[in-house]
């Protein structure tokens, strides 16, 4: 039963994501003389109607989220290839939507027992939402007053490389940890919980946090957002410092001396963060 449900949810989300991403074909319709805004509104309405016909809750809730992320990804692709000062924002839209969708998909494949709508991380926290909206506002304002500021291509490419590195590292960590990975810090050890020290965990104690750290800062470098770039760096550093200490308290409780030995040999991977201090 569990594998079948897993396969069903993974396939459902992937189909819905690709359906939303098909928005990349809309320029073909606008060339026929139809107004772009009209076509876009009709397209969104048709997508929602189709999903309502095909699925019932809770499958509709999965489908609409995946479809929305696919839609954002498709719009990002269109914007990326546009001849405007917004093309780097298109890169950002692709990066953001792919990050959130892949969090759900990898969890569905890797650890279906912990899978839920929260696995999309769309409702991560109020602070996360405020940070994202702030970066959009900064980009829009600076692009309006100083459009040349958003066309520093080498800086945006540097940010894109940071995003790709962070995304790949985080997903590698999720796959390596398997069922041991969870979006929520665990306070009780399950029977199947083991200490993972191989793969990317041989490089860093917290590779998923390292990946997310550089991914988040990379998004602001990509957007050439100086204010949010600094703010993100300080905020995510503090967040992962506290998160690492919280998690390591549980890991020491779970694995004792085994984790302490691992802690001595392998760094956290996060700059100037050593993890929880252990008094001997």
């Amino acid at each position: 039963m569990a594998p079948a449900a897993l396969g069903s949810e993974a396939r459902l989300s992937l189909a819905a994501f690709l359906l939303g991403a098909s928005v990349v074909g809309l320029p073909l319709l606008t060339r026929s003389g139809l107004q772009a805004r009209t076509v876009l509104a009709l397209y969104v309405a048709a997508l929602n109607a189709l999903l309502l016909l095909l699925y019932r809750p809770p499958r509709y809730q999965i489908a609409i989220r995946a479809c929305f992320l696919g839609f954002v990804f498709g719009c990002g692709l269109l914007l990326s290839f546009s001849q405007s000062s917004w093309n780097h924002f298109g890169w950002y839209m692709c990066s953001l939507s792919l990050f959130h969708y892949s969090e759900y998909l990898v969890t569905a494949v890797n650890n279906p027992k912990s899978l839920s709508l929260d696995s999309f991380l769309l409702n991560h926290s109020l602070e996360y939402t405020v940070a994202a909206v702030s970066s959009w506002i900064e980009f829009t304002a600076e692009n309006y007053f100083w459009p040349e500021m958003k066309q520093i291509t080498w800086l945006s490419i540097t940010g894109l490389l940071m995003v790709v590195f962070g995304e790949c590292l985080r997903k590698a960590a999720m796959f390596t940890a398997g069922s041991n990975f969870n979006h929520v810090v665990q306070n009780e050890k399950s029977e199947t919980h083991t200490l993972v020290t191989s793969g990317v965990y041989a490089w860093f104690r917290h590779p998923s946090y390292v990946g997310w750290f550089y991914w988040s800062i990379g998004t602001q470098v990509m957007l050439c957002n100086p204010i949010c770039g600094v703010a993100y760096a300080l905020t995510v550093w503090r967040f992962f410092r506290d998160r690492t200490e919280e998690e390591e308290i549980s890991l020491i409780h779970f694995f004792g001396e085994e984790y302490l030995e691992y802690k001595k040999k392998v760094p956290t991977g996060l700059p100037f963060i050593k993890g929880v201090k252990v008094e001997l």
Side-chain angles (χ1 to χ4, degrees), residues 91-102:
W91 298 6
Y92 168 82
M93 291 172 65
C94 291
S95 302
L96 185 67
S97 57
L98 190 60
F99 171 81
H100 283 283
Y101 173 66
S102 61

Side-chain angles (χ1 to χ4, degrees), residues 132-148:
V133 173
S134 297
S135 72
W136 306 342
I137 293 173
E138 179 182 352
F139 182 91
T140 302
E142 292 171 350
N143 188 47
Y144 180 80
F145 291 106
W146 307 286
E148 67 282 355

Side-chain angles (χ1 to χ4, degrees), residues 73 75-77 79-80 86-95 223:
F73 182 82
C75 289
L77 281 179
L79 204 54
S80 297
W86 284 83
N87 63 326
H88 293 158
F89 195 83
W91 298 6
Y92 168 82
M93 291 172 65
C94 291
S95 302
L223 293 176

Side-chain angles (χ1 to χ4, degrees), residues 31-219:
R31 288 174 186 173
S32 64
L34 297 174
Q35 290 293 327
R37 291 182 181 179
T38 302
V39 171
L40 186 61
L42 291 174
Y43 181 80
V44 171
L47 282 181
N48 189 48
L50 179 61
L51 294 178
L52 283 170
L53 286 173
L54 292 176
Y55 306 111
R56 294 290 180 269
R59 292 172 65 79
Y60 170 77
Q61 299 300 327
I62 298 171
I64 195 65
R65 285 165 173 76
C67 186
F68 166 74
L69 291 171
F71 179 80
V72 174
F73 182 82
C75 289
L77 281 179
L78 291 176
L79 204 54
S80 297
F81 292 100
S82 67
Q83 300 299 318
S84 74
S85 58
W86 284 83
N87 63 326
H88 293 158
F89 195 83
W91 298 6
Y92 168 82
M93 291 172 65
C94 291
S95 302
L96 185 67
S97 57
L98 190 60
F99 171 81
H100 283 283
Y101 173 66
S102 61
E103 288 290 307
Y104 181 89
L105 182 63
V106 173
T107 302
V109 172
N110 223 30
N111 191 12
K113 289 184 178 180
S114 69
L115 185 67
S116 70
L117 291 177
D118 290 338
S119 300
F120 284 107
L121 297 184
L122 291 172
N123 57 340
H124 181 272
S125 65
L126 175 61
E127 293 80 5
Y128 183 84
T129 302
V130 170
V133 173
S134 297
S135 72
W136 306 342
I137 293 173
E138 179 182 352
F139 182 91
T140 302
E142 292 171 350
N143 188 47
Y144 180 80
F145 291 106
W146 307 286
E148 67 282 355
M149 182 179 178
K150 300 304 179 182
Q151 292 301 304
I152 309 175
T153 303
W154 68 265
L155 187 60
S156 291
I157 291 176
T158 300
L160 179 61
L161 292 175
M162 291 174 66
V163 165
V164 172
F165 167 76
E167 177 78 10
C168 290
L169 179 59
R170 180 169 172 83
K171 295 311 181 288
M174 293 175 71
F175 276 118
T176 302
S179 62
N180 295 289
F181 184 91
N182 199 299
H183 283 121
V184 180
V185 174
Q186 302 298 292
N187 296 315
E188 295 183 5
K189 182 183 178 183
S190 67
E191 295 181 357
T192 60
H193 197 171
T194 58
L195 180 61
V196 181
T197 60
S198 60
V200 291
Y201 286 86
W203 306 343
F204 313 121
R205 294 203 306 273
H206 301 280
S208 67
Y209 294 165
V210 176
W212 201 349
F213 177 82
Y214 287 107
W215 177 90
S216 61
I217 297 174
T219 61

